[in-house]
Amino acid sequence: MTTAMNIDMPRLEKIWLWIGGAMIVIFLAIIGYMGISMGLHPPGQMRTIAPEAVDTTAPFNTPGLVPLGNNEYRATVVSRVWTFQPNTMTIPVGATVHFEVTSPDVVHGLYIPGTNVNIMALPGRITEYSYTFKKPGEYLVLCHEYCGTGHQNMMGKVTVQ
Ligand code: CUA
């Protein structure tokens, strides 16, 4: 790059190269600052789980919906090719669901259209997200990361009644 800049390069082009380089340095510095000082990381508490241990490790060995009292629930969900475990959940109106999601195989997503639930299901990591279902109805649960030939069939349902 330095040799290229020593040969006859129009002055404006050099200026733009320096601006572009400076922007890269500034953006990397911002990401570094946020990661180190502001705790920027994937959602959840950075809990991890070995993908091959998902089926034998609590709570993911018994995925499901557990009432916590006070209209709160913990939804332990295993996303795998090509289904969600559990596949259907029924909760009362106003219930807050604390999702904890992982995958024993490939990257999946857990997306509930019409809500803010948009979770990545990553092998090796436990992703957490809480959502309060204020409106009754049937909510579709979709995998929104392409995960193989059965991806389009990977869906579930949350019934709020
Ligand atoms: Cu799982 Cu797409």
Side-chain angles (χ1 to χ4, degrees):
M1 189 170 151
T2 45
T3 50
M5 293 182 71
N6 287 338
I7 59 173
D8 192 23
M9 193 182 281
R11 197 168 149 264
L12 277 177
E13 201 158 328
K14 278 188 192 172
I15 291 171
W16 280 113
L17 270 179
W18 279 109
I19 290 174
M23 277 164 56
I24 291 171
V25 171
I26 290 168
F27 290 160
L28 285 177
I30 291 171
I31 292 171
Y33 172 74
M34 291 175 79
I36 293 163
S37 309
M38 300 173 72
L40 182 75
H41 59 71
Q45 300 303 311
M46 299 289 283
R47 287 161 66 203
T48 58
I49 183 169
E52 61 275 12
V54 166
D55 291 327
T56 52
T57 306
F60 291 100
N61 56 346
T62 54
L65 193 68
V66 178
L68 303 174
N70 206 16
N71 210 7
E72 291 190 35
Y73 295 80
R74 178 168 309 284
T76 303
V77 180
V78 175
S79 306
R80 66 192 332 145
V81 284
W82 286 281
T83 188
F84 294 105
Q85 299 172 301
N87 198 248
T88 56
M89 291 182 249
T90 302
I91 49 169
V93 176
T96 297
V97 179
H98 305 285
F99 291 92
E100 53 182 6
V101 184
T102 194
S103 162
D105 40 53
V106 298
V107 174
H108 300 276
L110 192 159
Y111 173 51
I112 305 181
T115 73
N116 286 342
V117 181
N118 185 335
I119 305 170
M120 296 297 296
L122 305 166
R125 189 174 287 283
I126 300 168
T127 315
E128 293 167 284
Y129 186 73
S130 297
Y131 183 77
T132 302
F133 290 85
K134 291 179 181 150
K135 289 185 196 154
E138 289 201 340
Y139 293 76
L140 208 54
V141 180
L142 297 173
C143 177
H144 67 309
E145 285 295 323
Y146 182 73
C147 55
T149 53
H151 162 71
Q152 73 280 2
N153 299 321
M154 186 167 169
M155 59 184 79
K157 192 169 71 176
V158 174
T159 304
V160 181
Q161 60 189 21

